[in-house]
Amino acid sequence: MSQTAQGRRVATSGHPLATSAGLDVLRVGGSAVDAALAMAFTQWVVAGPTCGPGGDLVLMHVPRRAGAFAPKVYGGWSRVPHGLQPEDLTSRGPLAAVVPGALAGADAAWRDCGQLSWPELFTAALVHADGHHVTRWMAQSYATVEAKGNGAALRAVLDQDFAPADGDTVSCRRLGASLERLSTAGANDLYGGLLASKLCSAASDDGALIDEADLQSMEAVIDVPRSRQLDGLRVSVLPPPSQASITTELLAAATPQTDPITRQFAGQVAELTRQALIDRCVVGVPGTAACVAADDESAAVVIHSLAGVQYGSGWVAGQTGIALGNRTGTALSARSDLRGAYPVPGAILPHTLSAALFESGGRMMLVATPGGDRQVQWLAQAGQRFRLGVPHDLGELVDAPRWFVCPEGDRFGVPAGIDREWLMFAEPGIEWRDDAHTAGFAVRPIDNVGGGLQAITWDDTDGWLAASDHRSGGAAGVAEED
């Protein structure tokens, strides 16, 4: 596999083993949704610190001809535990754990659009849970987990007492056993079966707030994307609770002919980005790993997370090997003036997970990226490049340098950083990255941290073209015709 691939059936993700899982599913007649979910389940094993069954998952399904019928979104969004009070808010440990929605969203998408059996989607994940080689990028992720003080979570998921290094073989058999149970008993086992009982027992022992009522009330949110026409560019993004609509706002404010890494583009959208992200916390909205797959009929994108490279809250439920996301700590605030971020028991949490479909002049691009509040900014920059019609090489588009604004010292959760200074971070390749200020923001040059963009486009002659940002260590591939 390579960074780009072209054919009638393609897959791309942030990990080569996940991409292989998606391609295997496509080869045996699975749908794009089947392939995207198989990649996601595999990432739960081989890219565990960033995603898992204890977090969030949202899938957008898009017919190849988007005008044939409306794209659909399956949201497996996490919830606030009913027992959570504002004074309980923390970003670490059992009290930070969300009621996980990932499996509810995956199950709903598979029931509507799957072609293979549910157990077949777990085949690669179960194989790799018994052992797989650690990539350089994942070794860095594991090191980050340990550096953040979550070594106990690391040991509760992996079958060893230290962070694996590049090239090591690592297994996670406790998580594998839980995934095998889910593959045979179904997704609802986490919400009302044996795994639910184990999770609730662990929560009771460790002081987490999740209980049986929380799990039994979990269900997927099925919706349609929010679409808007902008000067020949049609943008369709995930609906709330995703903040993806900010991407559309940024593109609406930008001059269509402006290169997204120029000072002009930054001047048009940087302050709007800051205000839009703060507004989501102040007034709220109604109602991070990425992988994309496509077959002859449709495309599907999955984006899912455990709230950063830290095994979620750092809490793993007993012997299940399942880490719980910590969105209650990163998405919420005890400040009553931040209505959009104030904890409401049982409510769906606001989320940074974003994906976008861009259509212009008969062309289309489906794209997603991990990255917290940076996602909406990076998707706007990718959409602007697509809008300009250049580059023609999708690999060059996903590899292009990017920039973002965020509160000082807080690159993932805006609520905690609202009263701090907001800075502009610029990657190598951006001409103004060594300036003291741009667009009213102090500039901070950074090494490449923009990896993770996964994208596909459709061409009437050559079929799908898939591309994986090389900075994420992922891969794109094509399922060859039999």
Side-chain angles (χ1 to χ4, degrees), residues 62-142:
V62 183
R64 193 178 70 193
R65 307 289 188 182
F69 57 92
K72 189 174 286 189
V73 175
Y74 301 86
W77 303 108
S78 57
R79 261 74 163 180
V80 179
H82 281 86
L84 182 73
Q85 301 299 320
E87 59 269 22
D88 295 328
L89 285 176
T90 176
S91 61
R92 299 178 65 89
L95 278 176
V98 299
V99 184
L103 279 157
D107 181 66
W110 168 75
R111 290 183 184 278
D112 269 8
C113 310
Q115 295 292 326
L116 301 186
S117 69
W118 177 254
E120 287 177 282
L121 308 185
F122 288 84
T123 300
L126 296 179
V127 169
H128 298 312
D130 280 338
H132 61 273
H133 291 297
V134 175
T135 65
R136 174 166 62 91
W137 290 269
M138 285 312 305
Q140 294 170 355
S141 183
Y142 287 125

Side-chain angles (χ1 to χ4, degrees), residues 246-281:
I246 295 176
T247 291
T248 309
E249 294 177 37
L250 302 185
L251 289 168
T255 304
Q257 294 78 28
T258 306
D259 189 306
I261 64 172
T262 61
R263 291 184 182 86
Q264 181 183 359
F265 185 87
Q268 291 172 339
V269 306
E271 174 56 29
L272 174 60
T273 303
R274 187 188 73 85
Q275 191 57 55
L277 288 170
I278 291 176
D279 284 348
R280 289 331 189 254
C281 301

Side-chain angles (χ1 to χ4, degrees), residues 70-332:
K72 189 174 286 189
V73 175
Y74 301 86
W77 303 108
S78 57
R79 261 74 163 180
V80 179
H82 281 86
L84 182 73
Q85 301 299 320
E87 59 269 22
D88 295 328
L89 285 176
T90 176
S91 61
R92 299 178 65 89
L95 278 176
V98 299
V99 184
L103 279 157
D107 181 66
W110 168 75
R111 290 183 184 278
D112 269 8
C113 310
Q115 295 292 326
L116 301 186
S117 69
W118 177 254
E120 287 177 282
L121 308 185
F122 288 84
T123 300
L126 296 179
V127 169
H128 298 312
D130 280 338
H132 61 273
H133 291 297
V134 175
T135 65
R136 174 166 62 91
W137 290 269
M138 285 312 305
Q140 294 170 355
S141 183
Y142 287 125
T144 301
V145 171
E146 199 158 55
K148 289 190 176 202
N150 280 340
L154 194 72
R155 292 185 287 276
V157 175
L158 302 180
D159 299 329
Q160 58 187 52
D161 293 331
F162 54 91
D166 178 17
D168 284 355
T169 297
V170 66
S171 61
C172 44
R173 293 187 177 91
R174 287 182 290 270
L175 174 59
S178 292
L179 294 181
E180 186 169 17
R181 171 76 188 181
L182 289 167
S183 74
T184 56
N188 284 334
D189 196 70
L190 187 66
Y191 303 114
L194 177 62
L195 280 178
S197 296
K198 289 183 176 181
L199 196 159
C200 290
S201 177
S204 177
D205 290 344
D206 296 343
L209 297 174
I210 301 170
D211 60 22
E212 290 181 1
D214 285 320
L215 294 173
Q216 290 171 0
S217 65
M218 178 58 68
E219 60 182 13
V221 177
I222 302 176
D223 205 341
V224 295
R226 300 298 185 262
S227 298
R228 183 174 174 182
Q229 192 72 36
L230 304 173
D231 299 320
L233 177 70
R234 184 171 181 80
V235 185
S236 299
V237 298
L238 298 180
S242 169
Q243 62 182 206
S245 61
I246 295 176
T247 291
T248 309
E249 294 177 37
L250 302 185
L251 289 168
T255 304
Q257 294 78 28
T258 306
D259 189 306
I261 64 172
T262 61
R263 291 184 182 86
Q264 181 183 359
F265 185 87
Q268 291 172 339
V269 306
E271 174 56 29
L272 174 60
T273 303
R274 187 188 73 85
Q275 191 57 55
L277 288 170
I278 291 176
D279 284 348
R280 289 331 189 254
C281 301
V282 175
V283 300
V285 292
T288 288
C291 44
V292 190
D295 58 22
D296 273 339
E297 302 300 325
S298 65
V301 56
V302 164
I303 183 162
H304 51 145
S305 82
L306 267 174
V309 285
Q310 52 182 327
Y311 271 124
S313 66
W315 179 63
V316 180
Q319 296 299 307
T320 65
I322 297 176
L324 276 293
N326 68 338
R327 292 295 299 168
T328 58
T330 58
L332 299 180

